[in-house]
Amino acid sequence: MKVVIIVAMREEAAPFVKRHELAEIIPAPFEPGFPFKPFAGTVEGVEVILVYTGWDDRLQSNNVATTAASVATYAALAAFHPDIVLSAGTAGGFGAMGACIGDVYLSTKTVYHARRIPVGEGTHLEEYSYGHFRSPPLSELAAKVGLKMGVVSTSDSLDHTQTDLDVMRSEGAAVKEMEAAGCAWVALQSRVPFVAVKAITDIVDGGRPSAEEFYSNLHTASEALQVKLTRVVAELGQTPLSPPQVISEPAPLDLTSHTHKSLNRVPSRSTEHRPPPVPRSTSSTDQITLVVLGAILAFAAMRALRTSRG
């Protein structure tokens, strides 16, 4: 069993790396210039590669949110070929769904709540926008480790709009965070199981500002995360996994019928099938010009005739 863990903040990654003495892989097996930091080792007999999405030197910040997490997941899948991908980190929780500070959740499904594409009937873009990435059935594992389970909802923002909140409630979200759905989409393309493991730092529907509560509980939640994450990895080593189910394979896409006409039509040099030329219509300006020119020629002819007679 080989497990890849994607983590967006060094505050979240450090306790796990330190506890298990994971060693940084240098040089990283990624494209030059990417900031991702892989750490490898063995946890309870399971091979683990933790990939921290890195530090943005330009803006002095962790590379949080879906873009860095998605690219890091792709790079890790290509480099390490894991049996499962985890998105581990901290998150907001919904008190109405039973979440408390320090709880650690295992995802049943991952969705987007701020990627909305409302379109007409007959298309799948609206459902595509929400994602609906189902996690493996791991209820027995969750019970053994002492995890809560629920829907994990993702956006690129720490705050949320009323529309975001309505979508999360309609999806039954228990957890709100900023990376998991991006990782889930990449894992699905590779047919690799994916699950999110998230520790709660703030209560979304609790009335306290999310940013303030997040930072005040970040250390506590990160410590709880590494304890539970260790047990999750150990149990995964004893758990058979199946590739994520894909409802149907897409039909082959024929791009030739949609190619720009200038690419489809090659002008022929042959005149065999050319249509006859269209007669050019004579404009009123052309007619006046001809009349004037005729008068000048007639005048010149008459003058020449008189000269010859004289």
Side-chain angles (χ1 to χ4, degrees):
M1 169 71 71
K2 183 187 293 185
V3 177
V4 157
I5 306 171
I6 307 296
V7 183
M9 298 183 69
R10 59 186 178 189
E11 295 88 343
E12 300 164 341
F16 190 83
V17 170
K18 183 178 180 180
R19 173 172 178 163
H20 298 291
E21 299 181 343
L22 303 185
E24 184 174 358
I25 301 173
I26 300 174
F30 307 136
E31 288 293 315
F34 283 88
F36 314 139
K37 304 289 186 183
F39 297 83
T42 302
V43 176
E44 302 293 332
V46 177
E47 184 179 358
V48 170
I49 299 97
L50 182 147
V51 179
Y52 162 50
T53 55
W55 186 256
D56 187 316
D57 290 326
R58 183 174 65 95
L59 297 175
Q60 295 296 292
S61 170
N62 288 295
N63 286 313
V64 300
T66 59
T67 301
S70 299
V71 179
T73 302
Y74 175 78
L77 283 165
F80 303 117
H81 309 288
D83 298 295
I84 188 169
V85 173
L86 309 183
S87 170
T90 55
F94 283 86
M97 301 298 289
C100 300
I101 302 297
D103 284 347
V104 181
Y105 273 81
L106 197 68
S107 63
T108 56
K109 182 176 77 169
T110 307
V111 299
Y112 285 104
H113 61 260
R115 194 175 75 168
R116 296 179 293 276
I117 312 175
V119 291
E121 295 181 5
T123 74
H124 298 285
L125 278 174
E126 186 166 18
E127 284 305 301
Y128 168 82
S129 69
Y130 298 126
H132 298 297
F133 307 107
R134 297 199 175 277
S135 302
L138 296 173
S139 56
E140 291 185 10
L141 184 153
K144 288 181 182 179
V145 176
L147 303 177
K148 293 183 176 181
M149 299 190 74
V151 175
V152 173
S153 193
T154 301
S155 80
D156 282 310
S157 299
L158 184 64
D159 62 3
H160 58 273
T161 67
Q162 182 60 48
T163 303
D164 295 337
L165 190 60
D166 292 343
V167 171
M168 287 187 279
R169 285 173 173 164
S170 70
E171 292 290 344
V175 177
K176 172 188 173 294
E177 56 83 73
M178 298 174 63
E179 288 87 24
C183 302
W185 182 88
V186 179
L188 180 62
Q189 310 316 304
S190 294
R191 306 297 188 264
V192 174
F194 169 85
V195 67
V197 184
K198 300 291 174 175
I200 303 304
T201 55
D202 56 282
I203 303 302
V204 179
D205 52 351
R208 188 177 173 188
S210 292
E212 175 186 311
E213 195 170 20
F214 169 78
Y215 282 110
S216 65
N217 294 312
L218 178 59
H219 176 75
T220 301
S222 296
E223 289 295 331
L225 175 67
Q226 62 95 8
V227 172
K228 295 296 187 182
L229 187 57
T230 298
R231 296 192 60 193
V232 168
V233 170
E235 290 297 330
L236 283 174
Q238 308 299 319
T239 304
L241 297 170
S242 299
Q245 183 180 3
V246 178
I247 296 176
S248 63
E249 292 291 341
L253 180 61
D254 180 11
L255 294 178
T256 58
S257 60
H258 301 286
T259 306
H260 191 279
K261 63 182 180 179
S262 63
L263 301 179
N264 283 336
R265 297 177 59 188
V266 179
S268 172
R269 293 183 180 276
S270 171
T271 59
E272 182 178 351
H273 300 293
R274 286 184 182 175
V278 179
R280 181 175 179 272
S281 60
T282 305
S283 66
S284 57
T285 303
D286 291 339
Q287 292 176 350
I288 294 171
T289 302
L290 291 173
V291 170
V292 172
L293 182 59
I296 293 172
L297 291 174
F299 176 77
M302 290 177 62
R303 186 172 182 180
L305 181 60
R306 288 176 181 172
T307 303
S308 62
R309 287 181 177 179

